[in-house]
Amino acid sequence: MKRVRGFTLIEVLIAMVLLVAGLALAFATLGAATRTAARGEAMADRSERMRSVEGFLRTRLTGARPIPFDIDQSRAIAVRFIGERERMRFVADIPDYLGRGGPYLHDFKVEDAGDGVRMTLSLSMVQSGKAVAERDARPPEMLVEGLRAVRLRYRSLDQDGRLGDWLDTWEATEQLPLLVEVTMIDRDGATWPPLVVSLPLAPAFTSFSLPVQTQ
């Protein structure tokens, strides 16, 4: 009768080492795949967030109308567009689901959020060249948060009828700028691609006699 030979201690230890190494490799591969999937999902979420915010801004800006919403008493002129580095105001029509329809003052504002900044939108109905406070007006809507910084800039024609420099402040408030640029930086320092929007109705209210302004 043949004697059955068992495993030696060294063989068992080698098998255990190989098993542990295989499990470690499997877990490392699974962890790398999980991290890759998480990064891909985060990138997809960030891209969708960018598309949503930029799409909304583009729609609102392209719908800007040269309707007055205030009077500059010092110059006795109608105010149609106010543009600053972190705030801009203009009139555009809104769909019924956002309000009662018709022309509304759009007030985009960059606000301090403690650990960063956010951009909000306030809407006010415009009647007879004035923004009207509604009794049932909604509070400012959150457009985007989790940002480090937002910069708004404006561009129009110079005295020679050519595109001038980008401006941090739009001083020709009786007119619409030809172009508006929005640049956002995420809290982690990643810069969004600059959004440059052309205002279709601006040329009819743009004068070639604007003063030359530089940054």
Side-chain angles (χ1 to χ4, degrees), residues 5-28:
R5 181 177 176 274
F7 295 105
T8 65
L9 179 60
I10 293 178
E11 290 173 332
V12 172
L13 290 176
I14 291 175
M16 290 182 64
V17 169
L18 292 175
L19 177 61
V20 170
L23 290 174
L25 180 61
F27 280 117

Side-chain angles (χ1 to χ4, degrees), residues 113-135:
D115 57 348
V117 300
R118 61 191 177 192
M119 178 178 279
T120 62
L121 169 63
S122 299
L123 296 170
S124 302
M125 184 180 294
V126 175
Q127 293 180 343
S128 302
K130 295 286 291 185
V132 179
E134 298 179 74
R135 181 178 303 175

Side-chain angles (χ1 to χ4, degrees), residues 73 92 98 104 186:
Q73 300 294 345
L98 287 177
Y104 271 71
D186 271 331

Side-chain angles (χ1 to χ4, degrees), residues 16 26-27 43-44 47 62 69-70 82 95-96 109 111 116 124 128 130 152 164 171 173 175 179 184 203 213:
M16 290 182 64
F27 280 117
M43 290 177 62
S47 297
T62 54
F69 58 86
D70 201 357
I82 296 178
D96 292 339
K109 188 176 182 181
E111 301 177 343
S124 302
S128 302
K130 295 286 291 185
L152 306 173
E171 296 182 356
T173 56
Q175 303 174 2
L179 300 172
M184 300 187 184
Q213 305 178 57

